[in-house]
Amino acid sequence: MPLDAYRSKRDFKKTPEPAGDVLAGTSGRFVVQRHRATRLHYDLRLEVDGVLASWAVPRGPTLDPDQRRLAMRTEDHPIEYLEFEAVIPKGQYGAGDMIVWDWGTYELEETDAPAAAVAAGELKFRLHGERLRGRFTLVRTAGRTDDQGRAESGDPWLLIHKSDEQAEPDYDAESLPRSVKSGRT
Ligand code: MN
């Protein structure tokens, strides 16, 4: 089941995170969370057929087209995570604070089948967020697929911003520390 990996890592009596319900067929929203866990990273999540396909980006997303950012594929998260910000308590998976760093919608280019694009290891899309805008590519650099052709958790991908009108040399996500949802840091 799509959220099995997500649920198996968490104790919902102890974490404020949502257990999640899969909503069939909805796609098109995204969120980026700044997650101050053991290591600070940003989580990019794209809504794909009722779940959030997720990548952990250690250095954060950038609008600088000369920077390629490592994006490690992580387990699919529930739709409710689109609005999630809270402190995950000590001892729980991903312990640390998490804010909504950006959110909005994405538009696939060249295909309208996001799950197939994720499985194939290459997504080209346009982000319409409050901070992130313009054209991006997410491409798997190595990895395996499971027996249903799904990309596995833990695979390295690269997140690249195209050279477009939204490009900004030397863009650093860390210079924008506040939540777009609550203004919290
Ligand atoms: Mn994370």
Side-chain angles (χ1 to χ4, degrees):
M1 293 304 290
L3 294 174
D4 281 357
Y6 171 86
R7 289 182 181 133
S8 70
K9 292 171 192 267
R10 291 168 174 82
D11 179 348
F12 296 105
K13 291 193 193 79
K14 293 181 178 159
T15 179
E17 296 168 289
D21 294 308
V22 179
L23 307 173
T26 53
S27 296
R29 292 174 288 176
F30 85 93
V31 65
V32 174
Q33 276 129 343
R34 183 177 186 272
H35 187 187
R36 202 159 51 178
T38 311
R39 286 190 182 163
L40 172 70
H41 61 274
Y42 289 69
D43 289 295
L44 167 65
R45 310 186 197 281
L46 302 176
E47 184 189 26
V48 172
D49 294 351
V51 295
L52 302 179
S54 299
W55 290 263
V57 185
R59 298 184 59 204
T62 181
L63 295 176
D64 184 344
D66 292 331
Q67 301 290 322
R68 299 165 156 234
R69 290 291 159 86
L70 175 68
M72 299 299 289
R73 182 92 158 93
T74 57
E75 74 276 17
D76 291 345
H77 278 51
I79 293 300
E80 291 90 331
Y81 230 91
L82 282 167
E83 303 194 357
F84 181 74
E85 64 178 34
V87 177
I88 301 171
K90 261 201 174 128
Q92 298 307 298
Y93 183 75
D97 56 77
M98 187 180 266
I99 58 164
V100 174
W101 184 82
D102 197 17
W103 55 8
T105 60
Y106 75 95
E107 209 180 332
L108 276 186
E109 300 189 321
E110 298 175 12
T111 172
D112 52 13
V118 173
E122 185 167 9
L123 281 143
K124 293 182 178 174
F125 53 96
R126 196 176 282 274
L127 288 183
H128 306 282
E130 294 189 26
R131 290 173 171 159
L132 298 177
R133 292 171 187 275
R135 296 169 62 212
F136 290 80
T137 299
L138 253 178
V139 60
R140 190 169 64 217
T141 57
R144 313 130 293 161
T145 52
D146 67 11
D147 54 11
Q148 274 122 52
R150 286 190 300 243
E152 290 199 351
S153 203
D155 286 344
W157 295 53
L158 288 173
L159 176 66
I160 304 157
H161 184 67
K162 297 283 188 185
S163 243
D164 61 13
E165 312 85 79
Q166 281 78 31
E168 249 182 66
D170 303 320
Y171 184 97
D172 180 10
E174 282 294 293
S175 67
L176 300 163
R178 291 194 181 275
S179 164
V180 294
K181 178 183 176 184
S182 65
R184 282 187 282 197
T185 57

